[in-house]
Amino acid sequence: MGAPQLSAPTSHRVRSVLAIPAFRRLWLVTSVAGVCDWMSLLALSALATQLTSGYTAQSFALGGVVATKLFPALVLGPLAGALADKFDRRRVMVVCDLLRFVLFVSIPLVGSLWWLFVATFLIEICALFWIPAKDASVPNLLRRPDQVETANQLNLVMTYGVAVITAAGLFAVLSRAGAFLGGEGSALPTVFVALVMSGIAYLVIALTVWFRIPEISGRATERREAGPSLIAMLRDGASFVVRTPLLRGLVIGIIGAFAAGGTVVGSATLYAASLGGGNAAYGVLFASVFVGLAFGMGAAPRMARRIPHNRLFGAAIVAAGVALVLVSIAPHLFLAIGAVMLVGGFAGIAFLTGLTIIGSQVADEVRGRIVAFVQSIVRLTLLGSMALVPVIVGLVSARWVDVFGYPVLVDGTRVVMLAGGAVAAVVGMLAYRQMDDRRTEPILPDLLAALRRGEPRHGAGVLIAVEGAPAEETTEQATRLAQRLRAAGYLVVEPDGGERDRERWTAATREASLSGPRARALAAAAVQADQVERVIRPALAEGAVVVVDRFLVSPLVQFGVAADRASSDGAQPQLDPRELESLAAWATGRLRPDVSVLLDRAPVSAAPQAGGLAGEEHVRVQRLLTRMAAAEPHRYVVVDADGSPEDVAERIFAGLRPVLPKPPARDADPAVVR
């Protein structure tokens, strides 16, 4: 039997995020803004055609609206991000919303095509400044880094799902109401009503942000405004992207992913025709992309339980490229729909994962510039690929090919999609190599574990680790947790840990005359491996809940680095955290806790703590564990360790309650294994 999946249910994660008042209000504001954006796009497109006459003029008017909405991001994107990092983000959002209110209301008042284009251009500039300020503020409103993914998921579902349907339905209702009340010739007033409604909505948003969400400003506003100039911030932001492998890989992956997306969009109509379909087939294919996108964004958190975000992003783009290759060779519409849904699904995984990486792993001081830069790259890549694809398609002559008895039309669309899929796969691999911070560990076991329902081990037991904080606190909280679980009816096993493991490690290093951090870390790994094989794995096979005091990197850092510092006058080199992770994985046979409780507390001083862990080493351990928790939030429960031991214990159990399986029914109290 596979191990149970210890992760908070989606409903619990959503409730915990929406329970934060500041984020809940910002999410509602974002939802209203999303509805207004989509409805205004419909209204502006309709108004552009009504202010012109003739098929050609109307086509140019529609294209002009789209181009006007895209162009500002290509020119002013980096500046928008610098403003979000330089000035008070709440003020930036309020000013942009007030300007959008004035501009939307002015369009019906002026009623001319030239002003429609000018106002649309200015509205998009406001949106360009508003979005980075909003996105960069979201992580600061949350309580823990692991909530960033759920917050992004809520925003994306609303912006690209509920808001689209709501805006389309509202615009349809307004159109029907206008036709019913005004009869013929009433379409123009209906569009004006939609635009005025959007303007009033932005006025309400501005008032809400200013009076109800002061937390957006944050405590770092004065420091940011007194910092370097905008030009210096733009230069520093670009330099940060270039010198940071994580962001280099993110940008490379985004270029590949959206180039593939632009390939699909730019050739979708002709591709549908090559399959023997018309506008109906095009509509189905178009809808399939968004259906797959929704499924992908829903599946991303479950995938991230076993694959770190830094690895999942590149792997998803590679998979999207392979799926696009399948689209290019699909001989039938039914197969093409399935392949297109796969493209959308993997793109959704990559999209949500990329936003989560930015929100959880990019510092607040540069987050606005990174968000704006990514948005500009997205739009530039989409626009460029959509412009080039039709030209390339027209250069390739069409021919019929027999595939397993089915005649298939091979034209430019299939060649372009095949090339786009190959490019996306290669770019995804490059992004993966840039972003992977665990290169010594192959990704295949993680992928296989993600595809299986259970963890790659035998038994139905549950492994819980208590990490971080000074050693005596983790030991005490691990003991309290075991007692609480045992009282709740669980079969609980507590392996030897804490001082007992330290005694064994000290004896091993003394008898072998080991010196230096590497030799001592290897001795700590040997103690860890013995504990796993002798106690932990048999207990898991019996279905027990195993509570461990520090399991992965923390013991190796403490035994291999902290204790060694006392005997070498602080002159020894520090160990690479990635080497420690690899050593811990090897020592435990890649066994990992189902959930790790991370006690989050900053050291009060640099004086040695109980257990031999000095304040400096405690900071090092805490940073390493925090980075691991941000990369795999579904494996961690982050608990504030400030307060009495009883209060901390209660927080730990409350955090674990949603992810614990039901206790088995037993006739007698379970035995305690130590």
Side-chain angles (χ1 to χ4, degrees):
M1 180 185 298
Q5 296 306 302
L6 279 186
S7 59
T10 301
S11 59
H12 173 78
R13 291 188 288 110
V14 170
R15 285 196 303 269
S16 66
V17 171
L18 292 180
I20 304 172
F23 174 78
R24 182 173 64 250
R25 296 185 187 113
L26 182 60
W27 178 70
L28 292 174
V29 160
T30 304
S31 303
V32 175
V35 173
C36 292
D37 287 342
W38 289 108
M39 187 170 69
S40 65
L41 176 60
L42 295 172
L44 291 172
S45 301
L47 183 58
T49 58
Q50 293 170 23
L51 293 177
T52 56
S53 59
Y55 179 80
T56 302
Q58 290 178 340
S59 299
F60 278 112
L62 283 174
V65 170
V66 175
T68 305
K69 292 179 74 66
L70 288 175
F71 185 70
L74 308 181
V75 180
L76 301 174
L79 178 61
L83 286 175
D85 287 337
K86 175 70 174 176
F87 299 110
D88 185 336
R89 290 166 182 162
R90 182 167 59 126
R91 294 177 184 174
V92 172
M93 293 174 64
V94 170
V95 170
C96 291
D97 287 329
L98 292 176
L99 290 175
R100 284 196 278 190
F101 160 67
V102 173
L103 290 169
F104 271 116
V105 173
S106 70
I107 294 175
L109 295 177
V110 177
S112 63
L113 185 63
W114 71 269
W115 179 247
L116 183 147
F117 286 141
V118 172
T120 301
F121 181 79
L122 296 176
I123 288 169
E124 283 306 306
I125 291 179
C126 293
L128 188 67
F129 293 157
W130 190 87
I131 293 174
K134 184 266 295 183
D135 288 344
S137 301
V138 169
N140 298 335
L141 304 182
L142 303 175
R143 293 168 181 161
R144 305 188 307 271
D146 59 291
Q147 294 178 321
V148 171
E149 185 172 53
T150 303
N152 287 331
Q153 198 174 21
L154 282 171
N155 286 330
L156 291 176
V157 167
M158 179 57 68
T159 302
Y160 295 99
V162 178
V164 177
I165 298 172
T166 304
L170 186 57
F171 187 74
V173 169
L174 290 175
S175 300
R176 293 294 297 172
F180 178 76
L181 296 175
E184 294 294 332
S186 63
L188 197 60
T190 299
V191 174
F192 288 165
V193 170
L195 293 174
V196 172
M197 286 180 60
S198 296
I200 295 175
Y202 281 115
L203 176 61
V204 174
I205 290 173
L207 296 175
T208 302
V209 170
W210 183 254
F211 291 105
R212 299 291 291 167
I213 323 179
E215 295 87 350
I216 292 177
S217 295
R219 295 188 294 268
T221 298
E222 295 182 1
R223 177 175 54 81
R224 289 201 302 262
E225 293 182 353
S229 64
L230 286 176
I231 300 300
M233 292 181 69
L234 288 171
R235 184 177 60 251
D236 293 343
S239 175
F240 183 72
V241 172
V242 171
R243 70 173 184 266
T244 307
L246 177 69
L247 294 180
R248 284 204 309 267
L250 189 67
V251 171
I252 292 172
I254 286 174
I255 291 175
F258 283 91
T263 299
V264 174
V265 174
S267 59
T269 304
L270 296 175
Y271 176 73
S274 72
L275 292 171
N279 291 333
Y282 168 70
V284 172
L285 290 172
F286 186 81
S288 299
V289 174
F290 284 91
V291 171
L293 195 71
F295 277 110
M297 289 189 293
R302 291 193 296 273
M303 298 288 290
R305 294 171 194 169
R306 302 181 184 88
I307 304 177
H309 289 109
N310 298 10
R311 304 184 114 194
L312 181 59
F313 179 77
I317 293 176
V318 173
V322 174
L324 186 56
V325 172
L326 296 178
V327 173
S328 69
I329 62 176
H332 191 272
L333 179 61
F334 179 78
L335 297 177
I337 292 172
V340 167
M341 289 183 65
L342 284 177
V343 174
F346 289 120
I349 293 174
F351 191 27
L352 179 60
T353 303
L355 290 179
T356 302
I357 290 172
I358 293 175
S360 61
Q361 302 187 45
V362 175
D364 178 65
E365 291 77 10
V366 297
R367 192 182 300 131
R369 279 165 284 176
I370 301 305
V371 170
F373 182 74
V374 167
Q375 290 175 345
S376 298
I377 289 293
V378 166
R379 297 197 180 204
L380 181 62
T381 304
L382 273 176
L383 189 62
S385 58
M386 290 170 62
L388 290 176
V389 163
V391 177
I392 299 175
V393 168
L395 296 176
V396 179
S397 59
R399 65 181 63 187
W400 288 93
V401 177
D402 186 75
V403 179
F404 301 111
Y406 289 94
V408 178
L409 178 63
V410 178
D411 57 5
T413 62
R414 294 181 179 272
V415 173
V416 168
M417 287 186 177
L418 180 63
V423 170
V426 172
V427 168
M429 287 188 287
L430 292 176
Y432 175 83
R433 290 184 61 84
Q434 288 285 324
M435 301 173 69
D436 185 21
D437 56 357
R438 302 166 69 182
R439 293 187 181 181
T440 56
E441 299 183 29
I443 191 176
L444 184 58
D446 285 341
L447 289 175
L448 294 177
L451 294 175
R452 287 194 294 260
R453 294 184 63 85
E455 291 287 335
R457 68 164 186 250
H458 298 291
V462 175
L463 178 58
I464 301 175
V466 181
E467 301 275 6
E472 77 279 4
E473 290 192 27
T474 58
T475 302
E476 179 181 3
Q477 292 303 328
T479 302
R480 287 178 176 269
L481 176 60
Q483 294 172 350
R484 184 73 176 268
L485 293 173
R486 193 175 297 114
Y490 293 93
L491 171 63
V492 179
V493 171
E494 297 178 73
D496 292 333
E499 289 303 318
R500 174 60 177 165
D501 277 349
R502 178 170 293 279
E503 292 172 4
R504 297 176 63 201
W505 173 82
T506 302
T509 53
R510 181 178 61 250
E511 293 175 5
S513 300
L514 300 179
S515 62
R518 294 183 181 277
R520 294 172 179 266
L522 287 171
V527 173
Q528 187 91 340
D530 177 70
Q531 184 185 82
V532 168
E533 297 300 328
R534 181 172 51 86
V535 179
I536 295 179
R537 286 192 182 275
L540 293 174
E542 293 295 326
V545 176
V546 182
V547 179
V548 182
D549 170 22
R550 294 160 297 165
F551 183 73
L552 284 176
V553 182
S554 184
L556 301 188
V557 174
Q558 292 175 26
F559 298 166
V561 179
D564 188 70
R565 174 177 290 273
S567 62
S568 61
D569 297 327
Q572 89 284 357
Q574 297 181 3
L575 297 180
D576 187 345
R578 286 180 292 187
E579 292 180 346
L580 287 173
E581 287 185 67
S582 300
L583 179 59
W586 180 81
T588 60
R590 297 185 60 82
L591 178 67
R592 304 180 64 190
D594 294 285
V595 61
S596 296
V597 177
L598 176 54
L599 300 180
D600 189 17
R601 167 186 287 176
V604 295
S605 68
Q609 308 283 348
L613 186 60
E616 184 178 344
E617 273 74 33
H618 171 65
V619 172
R620 192 182 312 161
V621 172
Q622 205 71 13
R623 286 177 179 172
L624 179 59
L625 291 170
T626 301
R627 179 175 64 82
M628 296 172 66
E632 301 180 276
H634 295 285
R635 286 186 174 272
Y636 285 81
V637 173
V638 183
V639 175
D640 184 4
D642 289 327
S644 66
E646 293 78 11
D647 291 339
V648 176
E650 186 62 33
R651 292 173 199 154
I652 292 174
F653 191 75
L656 289 174
R657 184 184 291 114
V659 301
L660 284 171
K662 293 182 179 180
R666 297 186 181 275
D667 298 331
D669 290 337
V672 180
V673 181
R674 291 185 181 274

